[in-house]
Every structure is written in C-alpha cells, then in structure tokens.
Amino acid sequence: MPVKLRKPRARLKDLARLVSVSPATISNAYHHPERLSATLRAKILESADKLGYHPDPTARGLRMQTTGTLGVVYADALSWAFIDPPFSMFLQGVAEATQDAHFRLLLAGATYTDHDVEPVRNAAVDGFVFYAPMMHDPRVAYVEQRELAAVLVDGEPGSAFPLVGIEDESGAFALADHLFRLGHRKLGIISMPLRPGYPIGFAEPDEGLAAFLAVRDRLAGYAAAARKHRLPWQEVASLYVTSVNSIEQGRQAAHAILSGPSAPTALVCLSDQLALGALAAARELRVPVPQALSIVGYDDIPEAARTTPSLTTVHQPHAEKGRAAARLLLDQLAGRKSTSLLLPTRLVVRGSSAAPMNAARTGRKSMSGRSSRG
Amino acid sequence: MPVKLRKPRARLKDLARLVSVSPATISNAYHHPERLSATLRAKILESADKLGYHPDPTARGLRMQTTGTLGVVYADALSWAFIDPPFSMFLQGVAEATQDAHFRLLLAGATYTDHDVEPVRNAAVDGFVFYAPMMHDPRVAYVEQRELAAVLVDGEPGSAFPLVGIEDESGAFALADHLFRLGHRKLGIISMPLRPGYPIGFAEPDEGLAAFLAVRDRLAGYAAAARKHRLPWQEVASLYVTSVNSIEQGRQAAHAILSGPSAPTALVCLSDQLALGALAAARELRVPVPQALSIVGYDDIPEAARTTPSLTTVHQPHAEKGRAAARLLLDQLAGRKSTSLLLPTRLVVRGSSAAPMNAARTGRKSMSGRSSRG
DNA sequence: GTGAAAGCGCTAACAG
DNA sequence: CTGTTAGCGCTTTCAC
C-alpha cells in the first residue's frame, strides 16, 4: 500500500500567489524574459528558488506538445545493450548530437519474452531511433502507424522512415576476399542469431534466413566473395549460430566448430565480440593464431586492436552512425527534410589473419611467409 | 521555420466519438477492463488500432502524477559515459531492475561546460540515480531542494538520499598491501581527475584534494596500507593525475611517470582503463610486466582478465550496484523504506603483479621466484 | 507590462 | 456497466 504523504511540491500558482502576480507572468519570467521588467523577473526567479519551484516538465510537455526527449530502441533486452560495445559507441554518437540540441535521451528495449511494443508505446518522447531492428519489427510498425518520427539504423528499407546504414555487404565481401586471396578454402562462420530465438548450432550458410539486415548483408558479402573466387559457398562455409552476441558464445561456437569435422583454416565471426571468444577458444586449444588458424571479426571495436594477436576486422563508424541517426531524427522533428544515409566500411587487416598452412597449393603468391606447420 | 502540418494524431475523444461511447469508457477499456463488457472492450481496442490511437504518455503522466521513468545521471558529459565500462555494467544492472518494474530509463549527463542542473531540471522522471556524483554536486542539491526521490551511487553521505557504495577503501588497502608484501617500495599512482577540470600532471598523493568519493577512498586505502607497513606515504608514492578516465590517458600518464625521476617498481592505477593504458605504455617501452614493473588497476572490468598479462585489480559488483540503486529508488517511489547499502570489494591477483627485481632486500620471503635482473 | 481564461489529453470520482 | 464533470500544471492568446 504505497502511501503518499510527502508535502506537495510548489506549483506555479503558489509562486504566483507568493509574488502576487498572475500565473502568466511567472511563465513569462521563464520563457519570455522580454515581456516583463528585469527586476520583477529577478524577484520571481529568486522566490522560485526559495520555494524549490521549477516548471513541471510533464505539464509543460503536454501543453507544448513536445518532450525534448529522444527514444533509442535497442533490438534486444536493454540489459544486453550495455555489454554490446558497438551499441555503446553508437550511443556515444547519439548522446553527442542530442546533447548539442539540448535533448534528453530515453532508452527502451525489448522485454525478455518478446518484441512487445509496450516499452515504445508508453515512452514520452518526440521520436525514436531504432537500433538494428529486425524485419517486420512490430515496434517499428507501431510507430509507423501512429505516424511518430523515427529513424532506422541498420534496418530494412520499406518503411516510411529514413535509414542510417553501413556498406555491410561490401565490407564483408572485402573481408572474405582477403581470406580467399590468402588461400583459405574452408571457412567456419560464427554468427549471432539469425532471428530472435533461433536455435544454437550449425545451420545452412544462407543469408535468406536472417531477419537482421546486418547478418543478412554480411553473409551475403562472404558468399559473393566466394562466387568471385569461383568457390562453391555451401562447401566452403559451415555456419554456426550462437544464441547471443557475446564473447562466451563465440568461445563455445569456436570450440564446437574446431572439434567438428569441417576443419576450417579460418574462423569468420560476424562480430568482434564473437571473434574475441574464438580467440580465447584457440588459445585454450593451443591452436596458434594466425599460423594454424585465422580468426577475423567485424565492427572494429577498440579491443580488437589491443588483443594478441590483434584482430583483422571490418571497421564501421559506430559513433558517426549515432550522430547521423540523432541528427536525422532532430531534422524530422524540426520539419526539415531528412534523407537516408549509407556510411562506409573498411577492411582492417591486423595480426589474426594469414595464409593457411597449405597455402602453397593455391597457386597464388602468398603474402605471408608464415606457412610452417605448427 | 519549422512547420507542423502533419495530420493531427487521433485522440481519446476521437475514438470515443467513433465508437459512440464516453471518454471514460475508453479510458476504462485500457486501465479497468473489468468495468466494461469484453465485447465492448474488444471493439474499442480494435477501433483504436485502426485509428492508430494510444493514450498519450505525457497527458497520462500529468494526470497520474507519475512518469514511469527513472533518470540516471552521469557525473560527466553523457558522451563519455558509454566508453566507461564500469558505468555500462552499472547501467546493465539498472536496466534489469527497471525493466522488471516496467519502468523506462532516461539518461542525463553534464553539459560540456559545467555541472549545470538543466539536464536534471527538465527531465520528466519520477526519480534519479546519481552515478558517482562529486561533492556538493549542484544537481544533487537541486533534486534535494525539490524533494524529488533519488539514490546516490558512490556519493557522499550527508544528503537526504540513500547511498549505494562499495568498500572502496578496504579494496584499495588490500591492493596496496599486496604490493608492499611483494616488496614494492616505490609506487607510481595514476588517477583520474580529483575534481572536474583538475590539471593534468603530477600532484601530491593526498586524498583530501579529491572531490570524488571513489578517488578519495582509494587514495586513502593505499596510504593506509603504507602506514601499516610503516612506510612514509609521501616518499613511497608519486601521483599523476589524468584529465579523463581513458586508456589513452593512462598510456600518457605511464609514459610520464616512467620517464620521470621516481622510478617506481609498480604502477597503481585508479581504474582498469588507466591500467590498460599503462600496460600499453610498458609494452611500447619494452618494460616487461610484471618482471620489471607491476601494474595494477581497479574495477575488474571484463577486459582485465583478457589482457596479456592479465590485470591484478580490485573487483567490485558493478551490475549489482545498478540493480541495488534502481531497487532503492523504486522502493522510495512506492513509499517503501529504502536504506543505504555498502557492497563488498575483493582483491583479484592476476598476472600483472609480482615482486620487484630487488625484492630480496626487503627481508620478506618473496612469493615469486622471478627476481632476475632483466 | 500584466492578467483572465481556455485548453493540451487524460483519468477518477461520482452519479445514473 | 456507462456518462458527466473536474482538474492535473502549464503556456498562450487576447484583452486591458
């Protein structure tokens, strides 16, 4: 039984009475300084301070039909969001842009059970940034139906909303191309879930199954690189799907693949988090990286440059995505036109990728001398 | 000139007219299902869907005098928050607790220029969690004056608000004691700013200067350990203060200390971030860690266990702090009593600390055999 | 330069 | 089971 017996907060009316002016004058003191004398304004503000008064944001929001708050919607439960380095960097960009515009930031995620719209419905915000929404995300559909403002980041085209995306497929292409050039012919792919609730374990390396654009594009990029090298993708790649995009899941997946029959010479992880886990697994199994096994990631999170060996990966401008998404949303809210944006990716070759031990067979000149059998 | 010409959203009144019932019935359909027939309710909800109607959160908030939103206030600019791993883990805990309670999460930070109260003033929330507020933070004072609900995490006692803290001083004590036992007699301390805008560079290792409780407690803990070993703290320690709690700043600080005159055998960093930077600096200078130099951190972020060498540090329960803080705040809002909480810390000895090369002199039996001069 | 009054959209008494 | 009404706290015409 919650009991509220706290002394009620001071209201505009109380302050008006105290200073013996009308409510309108109080409001003007805050928002239209030029409409009253400086001395009166000073007196009002001072009394407000004494009373502990400040205009109620909710009432103000109702009256002004604006909240000054942007909602950022994470595709998964919010508690996962903060151990997802790319999302953190993305938020950093969003925070920069919103702060510059004096907007506040509200975070929403999915519930544990489903992609319920509830967190989005009841959020008092002026618009939403959807981070990596899956196909047909009901929350996006809801916002669209209500004709609220929104921006989709790494989301599907087809909605009314502007998009911020990255050249995911070409980044993945460059990465796989790099491996094929080195002579790799057997790839173990480690992916985050293709869609919510997708079962852990081996699956067909078919991007058509993926409900997340990033997953689909990356798988498509790898496959395209295989085509370029005239390699049969289904034979070249074996795909292992994890339940979460985490280091631990990457570790387990790598163990599963490396103890399996396919004996890949390279592990291609759809995120650096997964790659970090794969690196740990290789260490545990005493498989030297990159001599006996190449491991590559995606995202270029800061830690990718710090691990031993450092991680070959695809760079994408996380913070820039955040800034762009927030700006696009702010533009919409201000009635300015906002158009979709595609940001570049870039292959970053570091220490975790090299020619496989039997690269001599490929006939190409290997760029790496390290072909000794360990 | 922003122009709003979008078709106005459907309102409760519109829906009431459409279904030919009174506004109250619409409201009841949402919040008191038992007060109307199931068929009528179904009809209402269906029509609402068709209209794209949903009760306006702001209006609801005004009427109910509650927003269902918790504000988390970061001590620094929000854009720093997301590259601060301990804060991310903290948020994870907060998110878990708020999600369970079906609350939303609003994030606020400082402005670039100062610790302005504005971000806190205009936030439509039911209460605040202050993360690591400095002494006399004006935003805390403001919230106190307005008699809003709040919880202080790693903050000063003395306000009206319950606290969530950790045993910072004893953690620091255990860490420094560990080093002294190993035989270290010269420590380089690397600290984040003692107060906002504190100048970069060497400073007196006096905890009294620190405006942040964590900094003060940790410095005090180190000094207490020195006292226990009857070592004169001012001679044992040299303190270098960085401008930001970042890896890069830790790197620069370590360079400054190691190229200075004091020649410490151990670098004691007030955060793992700083320690990661120190590790990088040691690598660059080809100083073997821990043989020639011990490096220790604080916080036990996940990466601390993954670096080479792995980092000796002090563990603290970041996510648990977040859960506790959110719960305490939720308790206050529900009228339940909420009391302060002190969570334990724990020394975690890993690979980055060992006896110094000249440990033989100390007379204690060294726990490490590695004393060779390199 | 200041005040009276209307109303943003919703919910909860209370009456029927 | 349903409708009428008041009012949450604020801002803003529009008079004066």
Side-chain angles (χ1 to χ4, degrees):
Chain A
M1 293 289 114
V3 187
K4 281 190 197 174
L5 31 68
R6 244 220 307 275
K7 177 178 73 188
R9 255 185 291 294
R11 297 309 181 186
L12 186 145
K13 216 190 289 179
D14 306 320
L15 180 56
R17 203 151 25 211
L18 181 68
V19 191
S20 311
V21 294
S22 82
T25 305
I26 303 291
S27 180
N28 284 335
Y30 281 92
H31 305 295
H32 301 280
E34 73 284 3
R35 292 193 196 162
L36 70 172
S37 69
T39 49
L40 178 55
R41 183 175 131 90
K43 184 177 160 197
I44 288 174
L45 262 29
E46 195 188 322
S47 305
D49 229 52
K50 218 175 300 171
L51 260 186
Y53 169 81
H54 185 81
D56 180 305
T58 305
R60 181 153 212 276
L62 177 59
R63 178 65 232 241
M64 311 272 286
Q65 294 292 54
T66 176
T67 62
T69 304
L70 293 192
V72 176
V73 186
Y74 189 66
D76 220 317
L78 211 45
S79 39
W80 293 111
F82 304 109
I83 47 175
D84 177 349
F87 182 64
S88 288
M89 294 157 80
F90 173 80
L91 273 185
Q92 189 193 348
V94 173
E96 279 174 37
T98 52
Q99 179 164 300
D100 288 349
H102 291 274
F103 265 64
R104 278 157 296 286
L105 211 53
L106 186 134
L107 262 31
T111 47
Y112 288 115
T113 48
D114 57 11
H115 283 236
D116 195 23
V117 296
E118 194 254 301
V120 160
R121 264 202 231 279
N122 294 122
V125 300
D126 293 337
F128 291 99
V129 172
F130 285 97
Y131 183 82
M134 61 170 185
M135 269 175 91
H136 311 305
D137 189 315
R139 295 168 302 176
V140 174
Y142 171 78
V143 169
E144 198 172 359
Q145 188 205 9
R146 292 211 50 200
E147 303 185 33
L148 302 174
V151 171
L152 268 39
V153 177
D154 292 342
E156 306 284 338
S159 75
F161 305 123
L163 304 165
V164 173
I166 58 167
E167 291 170 351
D168 242 335
E169 186 168 342
S170 66
F173 180 92
L175 182 64
D177 184 55
H178 162 70
L179 292 174
F180 290 137
R181 276 169 193 267
L182 286 172
H184 293 276
R185 292 298 178 263
K186 273 289 190 199
L187 269 34
I189 317 275
I190 301 180
S191 174
M192 53 287 255
L194 305 184
R195 51 180 69 245
Y198 201 87
I200 301 186
F202 288 100
E204 287 300 305
D206 173 5
E207 75 271 14
L209 300 168
F212 295 106
L213 186 63
V215 174
R216 201 162 67 236
D217 279 357
R218 290 172 198 182
L219 291 177
Y222 303 147
R227 272 198 301 283
K228 175 194 158 190
H229 287 265
R230 303 185 181 288
L231 299 166
W233 177 238
Q234 301 283 339
E235 288 169 33
V236 164
S238 67
L239 172 68
Y240 190 98
V241 180
T242 69
S243 62
V244 179
N245 180 18
S246 73
I247 295 181
E248 178 53 26
Q249 283 288 309
R251 206 187 119 260
Q252 290 179 19
H255 273 290
I257 293 180
L258 295 177
S259 67
S262 71
T265 58
L267 255 27
V268 179
C269 304
L270 265 75
S271 77
D272 283 352
Q273 289 276 94
L274 295 172
L276 252 24
L279 231 34
R283 210 157 29 230
E284 288 158 14
L285 295 169
R286 304 192 182 288
V287 178
V289 175
Q291 293 82 353
L293 178 71
S294 289
I295 294 180
V296 301
Y298 207 109
D299 287 339
D300 195 23
I301 64 175
E303 192 175 346
R306 294 196 292 265
T307 53
T308 332
S310 56
L311 205 55
T312 291
T313 188
V314 176
H315 179 83
Q316 57 157 314
H318 300 282
E320 182 55 35
K321 274 162 74 178
R323 273 191 296 269
R327 254 198 312 255
L328 251 45
L329 186 50
L330 259 7
D331 281 352
Q332 277 183 62
L333 295 176
R336 272 170 264 142
K337 233 180 60 190
S338 66
T339 47
S340 296
L341 214 65
L342 199 64
L343 268 19
T345 54
R346 173 168 48 81
L347 173 64
V348 180
V349 177
R350 295 207 184 92
S352 68
S353 59
M357 293 192 292
N358 56 355
R361 268 208 282 125
T362 68
R364 287 179 192 279
K365 278 215 169 77
S366 166
M367 297 161 71
S368 162
R370 293 178 283 190
S371 306
S372 61
R373 270 149 219 280
Chain B
M1 293 292 110
V3 188
K4 281 190 194 173
L5 32 67
R6 243 222 306 274
K7 177 179 75 189
R9 253 185 291 295
R11 296 309 180 187
L12 186 146
K13 216 190 288 181
D14 307 319
L15 180 56
R17 202 151 26 211
L18 180 69
V19 191
S20 313
V21 295
S22 83
T25 304
I26 303 291
S27 179
N28 283 335
Y30 282 92
H31 305 295
H32 300 281
E34 73 285 1
R35 294 195 194 160
L36 69 174
S37 69
T39 50
L40 177 56
R41 183 174 131 90
K43 185 178 161 200
I44 289 175
L45 261 29
E46 193 187 323
S47 305
D49 229 51
K50 219 174 298 168
L51 259 186
Y53 169 80
H54 185 80
D56 180 305
T58 304
R60 182 154 212 275
L62 177 60
R63 178 64 232 236
M64 311 272 289
Q65 293 293 59
T66 177
T67 62
T69 305
L70 293 193
V72 176
V73 185
Y74 189 65
D76 220 315
L78 212 46
S79 38
W80 292 112
F82 304 109
I83 48 176
D84 178 348
F87 182 64
S88 288
M89 294 158 80
F90 174 81
L91 273 184
Q92 188 193 349
V94 173
E96 279 174 37
T98 52
Q99 178 163 299
D100 288 350
H102 291 274
F103 266 64
R104 278 156 297 286
L105 211 52
L106 186 134
L107 261 33
T111 47
Y112 288 117
T113 48
D114 56 12
H115 284 238
D116 194 24
V117 296
E118 194 254 303
V120 160
R121 264 203 230 279
N122 293 123
V125 301
D126 293 337
F128 291 100
V129 172
F130 284 97
Y131 183 82
M134 61 169 186
M135 268 175 91
H136 311 304
D137 190 315
R139 295 167 301 176
V140 175
Y142 171 79
V143 170
E144 197 173 358
Q145 189 205 8
R146 293 211 48 200
E147 302 184 35
L148 303 173
V151 171
L152 266 39
V153 177
D154 292 341
E156 307 283 339
S159 75
F161 305 123
L163 304 165
V164 173
I166 59 166
E167 291 170 352
D168 242 335
E169 186 169 341
S170 66
F173 179 93
L175 182 62
D177 184 56
H178 162 70
L179 293 174
F180 290 137
R181 276 169 193 268
L182 286 172
H184 293 275
R185 292 297 177 265
K186 274 289 191 197
L187 268 34
I189 318 275
I190 301 179
S191 173
M192 51 287 253
L194 305 184
R195 52 180 68 243
Y198 201 87
I200 302 187
F202 289 99
E204 287 299 305
D206 174 4
E207 75 271 14
L209 300 169
F212 295 106
L213 186 64
V215 173
R216 204 163 64 236
D217 279 357
R218 290 172 199 183
L219 291 178
Y222 303 147
R227 273 198 300 284
K228 175 193 159 192
H229 287 265
R230 303 186 182 287
L231 299 168
W233 178 238
Q234 301 282 339
E235 288 169 35
V236 163
S238 67
L239 172 68
Y240 190 97
V241 180
T242 69
S243 61
V244 179
N245 180 19
S246 72
I247 295 181
E248 178 52 26
Q249 283 287 309
R251 206 188 119 261
Q252 290 179 20
H255 273 290
I257 293 181
L258 295 176
S259 67
S262 71
T265 58
L267 255 27
V268 179
C269 304
L270 265 75
S271 77
D272 284 351
Q273 290 276 93
L274 294 172
L276 253 24
L279 232 34
R283 208 154 34 229
E284 287 158 15
L285 295 169
R286 303 190 184 288
V287 177
V289 176
Q291 293 83 352
L293 179 72
S294 288
I295 294 179
V296 301
Y298 207 109
D299 288 339
D300 195 23
I301 64 176
E303 192 175 346
R306 294 196 292 266
T307 53
T308 331
S310 55
L311 205 55
T312 292
T313 188
V314 175
H315 179 82
Q316 57 156 315
H318 300 282
E320 182 54 34
K321 275 161 73 178
R323 274 190 296 270
R327 255 196 312 256
L328 250 44
L329 186 50
L330 259 7
D331 281 351
Q332 277 182 61
L333 295 176
R336 272 170 265 142
K337 232 180 59 191
S338 67
T339 47
S340 295
L341 215 65
L342 198 64
L343 268 18
T345 55
R346 173 169 48 81
L347 174 64
V348 180
V349 178
R350 295 208 184 90
S352 67
S353 59
M357 293 192 294
N358 56 356
R361 269 208 279 126
T362 69
R364 288 178 191 279
K365 279 216 170 76
S366 166
M367 297 161 72
S368 160
R370 293 177 282 189
S371 307
S372 61
R373 269 150 220 281

